[in-house]
Amino acid sequence: MVIVGLLNVVGLAADKVPTFRKLQLSDKFYCEGAYYADFNRDGKMDIVAGPFWYEGPDFQKKHEIRPPKEFDPKGYSDAFLTFTGDFNGDGWSDVLYVPFPGQDAYWYENPGAKGGPWKKHFALKNVGNESPAWVDIDGDGRPKLIYNIDGYLGYATYDPAKPDQPWVFHPITPKGNYQRFTYGLGGATSVATAASTSSKKTAGGSNPPMPSRARPGSSIPTSSPRQAPRCSSTTSTANTLDPATSQARPVSSRHASGPASPPSQGRGQQRRSSEVHRED
């Protein structure tokens, strides 16, 4: 698996053409999705890939989040996607690991300035879909995990005031034939936003803003699971902070497109390294 990060320096002169150089995070296969956050609050974006987070801007120093578990690159890992957020409201970015389809999801609590191990919290049971999305679909400032479970497509919410409680799944479709190896969401983020907007209108509230981004893809429910979920190389894109606004531009972590294939075929030709590209 190849993990690639593209870090642009925000605020460059318009006539300067960005150049990039490649940095290798690891030669081990730990995960299939990477993400970003400023985990140590030093003003520089960091990267989480598998069981470690790597300090920006050079990503040479790593810190363990959970016990490392290496996987065969010809198979699949236990972390299909990784996302970040402040799940307990303490001001420090935490990490959510989205599992192999149909497994349970857990998030890990950033210990913050005191340091120490990252506490493991149960988040969601039976997370289906090979490519869940991470989008603030109702405009409350917190992203939601969009996925399917038991035939329903919907989204999950968390309560920062109650970090030890499981997250709550909200179905937005009638029961259908969505199953754990359903791939892609297509217009699910738009559908979910429309459903949320409709409920707010009914309650007399104002329309929430549209999501800033939505994961591409098309939802292909099938009546029976595939032989194995599709999973190709993972791409992560990131940006450093804008010095003028102190805002970071989004990073996406996604599976590359391609036909479904069993483990014996899905990884045989992939490079077995984790790499990051940064701008000089």
Side-chain angles (χ1 to χ4, degrees):
M1 182 189 75
V2 179
I3 298 177
V4 179
L6 303 178
L7 287 88
N8 293 329
V9 178
V10 181
L12 289 173
D15 58 349
K16 182 178 179 181
V17 178
T19 59
F20 300 87
R21 63 189 177 94
K22 181 171 69 176
L23 302 174
Q24 180 170 289
L25 296 177
S26 173
D27 61 356
K28 310 296 184 185
F29 174 38
Y30 291 121
C31 66
E32 310 193 39
Y35 212 67
Y36 74 104
D38 183 6
F39 293 112
N40 54 1
R41 301 203 322 199
D42 64 354
K44 301 178 180 65
M45 279 294 142
D46 310 306
I47 288 177
V48 53
F52 303 106
W53 71 270
Y54 300 80
E55 288 188 26
D58 58 7
F59 311 106
Q60 296 302 300
K61 187 175 182 180
K62 68 181 180 181
H63 304 265
E64 183 177 310
I65 296 175
R66 62 178 187 172
K69 183 179 180 181
E70 186 180 350
F71 295 88
D72 182 348
K74 295 181 180 180
Y76 299 87
S77 75
D78 64 354
F80 263 43
L81 291 169
T82 306
F83 297 116
T84 63
D86 184 5
F87 304 137
N88 59 352
D90 65 354
W92 295 84
S93 294
D94 308 305
V95 174
L96 170 68
Y97 290 104
V98 179
F100 184 91
Q103 302 299 313
D104 299 340
Y106 294 85
W107 69 271
Y108 286 75
E109 180 181 340
N110 190 333
K114 66 179 181 294
W118 291 55
K119 182 180 178 182
K120 181 179 180 181
H121 298 261
F122 174 77
L124 293 163
K125 186 176 180 61
N126 186 19
V127 177
N129 200 289
E130 295 185 35
S131 54
W134 188 237
V135 182
D136 178 11
I137 63 173
D138 59 5
D140 69 352
R142 293 196 292 267
K144 315 296 184 294
L145 186 69
I146 304 177
Y147 65 104
N148 55 264
I149 178 176
D150 297 332
Y152 297 95
L153 181 65
Y155 63 95
T157 57
Y158 60 90
D159 185 351
K162 301 174 181 178
D164 292 321
Q165 291 192 3
W167 296 14
V168 178
F169 178 75
H170 307 269
I172 61 171
T173 65
K175 189 169 185 177
N177 59 349
Y178 296 101
Q179 44 83 32
R180 63 174 180 156
F181 294 139
T182 295
Y183 186 87
L185 295 168
T189 50
S190 298
V191 172
T193 303
S196 176
T197 302
S198 176
S199 65
K200 289 179 181 292
K201 282 184 176 180
T202 301
S206 59
N207 294 349
M210 292 296 290
S212 59
R213 65 182 179 89
R215 182 178 307 282
S218 59
S219 191
I220 312 173
T222 58
S223 58
S224 61
R226 306 178 196 176
Q227 184 173 2
R230 179 185 72 181
C231 185
S232 288
S233 59
T234 303
T235 300
S236 171
T237 60
N239 293 83
T240 53
L241 292 177
D242 184 336
T245 64
S246 296
Q247 296 295 314
R249 297 175 63 185
V251 165
S252 66
S253 181
R254 65 178 177 81
H255 294 297
S257 60
S261 59
S264 61
Q265 300 173 4
R267 299 209 176 271
Q269 298 180 350
Q270 295 179 24
R271 287 184 291 172
R272 304 181 183 185
S273 63
S274 296
E275 300 170 346
V276 59
H277 287 251
R278 60 163 293 180
E279 182 178 17
D280 290 328

